Amino acid sequence: MEEGQRLLNQYQSNKNSLIGIGNLFSSNVETIIAIQAKGLPITAKNVESIRNLLASNSKKEEKIALLRLLGILYTYDNKSNTNHLIVQDLRHHIKSNDKDICLAALLTFSRLGYFSDSVEVLKHAYDKKILGENGYLGEIAHLLPFAPTTDQHKLLAILSTGNNSYANEVLISSFTQTSRIKKLDPSIKKALRLHFEKNQPNFPLAIGEYSVIDSFRYSNWLQSSTMLKIDMTGKTYQELIFKHLNNPDLDPRKIIAFLSTTEGKYLIDHLQNAKQKEDLKALNERAQLYSKQSPQNTIMRDLVQQITFNMESSVR
């Protein structure tokens, strides 16, 4: 942070000395990006400095970088006692006639947390085509964990109506850990669980086709769905995972996808009884059979080999 502070002081000095005669804005942008990477002390003085720079005759690229830099000085404990000024400036620049500046301010504002006007601001940007559908619904999904319960239901209703796969991925990724789930009201836990059940990711219809991206989506979905069920049912992680994976109609690629993840290895290493050992053996056999039917897919072959190795290592 000392280096970040030094760079900010240098940048301000350069700006002051070059006012009226132009500047090498590309190097200034690089300096701002470097400041953000190194960090800054959270002080009212630094907030004031960046706000003043935003209000000066900076080039567009500089303003965009400065808006992002301003965002990192917003803290949940309001350490600098200037959160209201940061939000005020971001809202001001969201109204900019320049689309790029508006978008930078909007995304910085959205990532600070949930505000009473967050949905209104995002919807306005969507209507003005500042954000596309993925961007709009993706930000709604990102905000949901931080909103009060009543508003969480409203946000989930927007996502359900939008039925956007990208937004569903963002939402699912937000609830892979129990710490965030435990903070939720039971009513929204139930609503999320139903929403997840309706939006289970699937693999392509073509037999033997296996994408790492599809695998990641499905594994995240199963992890989040299971975490919600643990909190609501009291059943163990292992019980719920095995119940899902043991479905005879389940696409074997989903078995491969989950068992090849870190969470899958955890399941393998923490079997609770003999029945689960037999269930795991049967799941691995299904995965091996499916992989052998598509010998050209080396990704599946390698993943199944790794799953088998993890099982054998766990038994030793």
Side-chain angles (χ1 to χ4, degrees):
M1 286 193 178
E2 289 180 3
E3 177 63 10
Q5 186 68 66
R6 186 190 69 78
L7 288 172
L8 177 61
N9 295 340
Q10 176 185 314
Y11 170 66
Q12 287 180 285
S13 177
N14 289 343
K15 287 283 290 184
N16 291 334
S17 64
L18 292 170
I19 287 176
I21 61 173
N23 60 48
L24 300 174
F25 74 87
S26 60
S27 63
N28 284 340
V29 171
E30 291 171 1
T31 299
I32 299 168
I33 293 171
I35 294 169
Q36 183 174 354
K38 294 180 182 299
L40 274 176
I42 309 297
T43 65
K45 182 179 179 181
N46 279 339
V47 172
E48 181 183 8
S49 295
I50 296 171
R51 294 181 70 225
N52 288 337
L53 287 165
L54 275 167
S56 69
N57 62 342
S58 299
K59 301 282 187 177
K60 179 172 82 170
E61 290 81 358
E62 286 182 86
K63 282 187 179 290
I64 290 172
L66 285 167
L67 285 166
R68 294 168 180 157
L69 183 58
L70 184 63
I72 71 170
L73 296 182
Y74 182 98
T75 58
Y76 295 112
D77 61 358
N78 199 12
K79 185 177 180 180
S80 65
N81 200 32
T82 57
N83 275 1
H84 65 293
L85 296 175
I86 294 172
V87 173
Q88 173 185 298
D89 274 23
L90 291 174
R91 284 193 176 106
H92 170 73
H93 283 89
I94 286 172
K95 297 176 183 177
S96 171
N97 292 325
D98 187 291
K99 182 177 179 179
D100 295 328
I101 290 176
C102 174
L103 181 60
L106 175 70
L107 294 179
T108 302
F109 170 78
S110 180
R111 295 310 169 98
L112 298 185
Y114 184 82
F115 299 96
S116 59
D117 64 339
S118 288
V119 175
E120 178 186 343
V121 170
L122 289 169
K123 183 62 165 62
H124 177 76
Y126 177 58
D127 292 339
K128 293 292 184 181
K129 301 190 184 305
I130 303 298
L131 284 176
E133 184 175 290
N134 278 4
Y136 167 58
L137 293 175
E139 288 303 308
I140 292 291
H142 169 77
L143 286 172
L144 188 145
F146 308 103
T149 300
T150 302
D151 289 0
Q152 284 178 333
H153 283 284
K154 293 177 182 178
L155 297 179
L156 188 58
I158 293 172
L159 294 173
S160 297
T161 302
N163 193 29
N164 181 275
S165 58
Y166 170 72
N168 284 331
E169 287 176 37
V170 174
L171 186 64
I172 287 166
S173 296
S174 298
F175 295 104
T176 55
Q177 301 298 323
T178 56
S179 57
R180 183 168 282 178
I181 293 173
K182 287 185 179 298
K183 297 177 182 178
L184 298 173
D185 183 84
S187 64
I188 192 64
K189 289 178 187 177
K190 181 178 179 181
L192 282 169
R193 179 178 172 181
L194 292 173
H195 182 81
F196 286 1
E197 287 177 356
K198 291 178 182 178
N199 291 279
Q200 179 179 162
N202 289 309
F203 282 81
L205 291 176
I207 296 175
E209 187 174 334
Y210 189 93
S211 162
V212 173
I213 294 176
D214 290 328
S215 172
F216 179 77
R217 287 171 180 157
Y218 173 75
S219 299
N220 258 358
W221 174 86
L222 182 54
Q223 181 72 5
S224 295
S225 298
T226 301
M227 290 302 179
L228 278 168
K229 290 176 182 177
I230 288 174
D231 195 75
M232 297 182 71
T233 65
K235 292 185 178 180
T236 68
Y237 182 82
Q238 290 88 339
E239 287 177 309
L240 292 169
I241 292 289
F242 275 116
K243 181 179 180 180
H244 181 83
L245 295 181
N246 276 330
N247 183 343
D249 296 325
L250 189 74
D251 187 331
R253 288 173 291 186
K254 294 183 175 181
I255 297 173
I256 297 171
F258 183 77
L259 291 182
S260 60
T261 63
T262 301
E263 291 77 19
K265 189 173 188 312
Y266 174 88
L267 181 77
I268 292 170
D269 291 341
H270 293 81
L271 299 176
Q272 295 178 320
N273 50 52
K275 183 180 183 307
Q276 289 184 358
K277 291 181 181 180
E278 289 301 314
D279 286 344
L280 180 61
K281 181 180 178 182
L283 290 175
N284 190 41
E285 288 174 354
R286 284 187 65 192
Q288 287 181 336
L289 177 61
Y290 189 88
S291 178
K292 288 176 181 178
Q293 291 171 345
S294 303
Q296 76 283 358
N297 194 313
T298 57
I299 295 176
M300 279 200 301
R301 181 198 65 198
D302 291 347
L303 289 176
V304 171
Q305 287 178 351
Q306 184 62 49
I307 293 167
T308 304
F309 174 79
N310 289 342
M311 288 176 58
E312 293 172 350
S313 299
S314 179
V315 172
R316 290 172 193 165

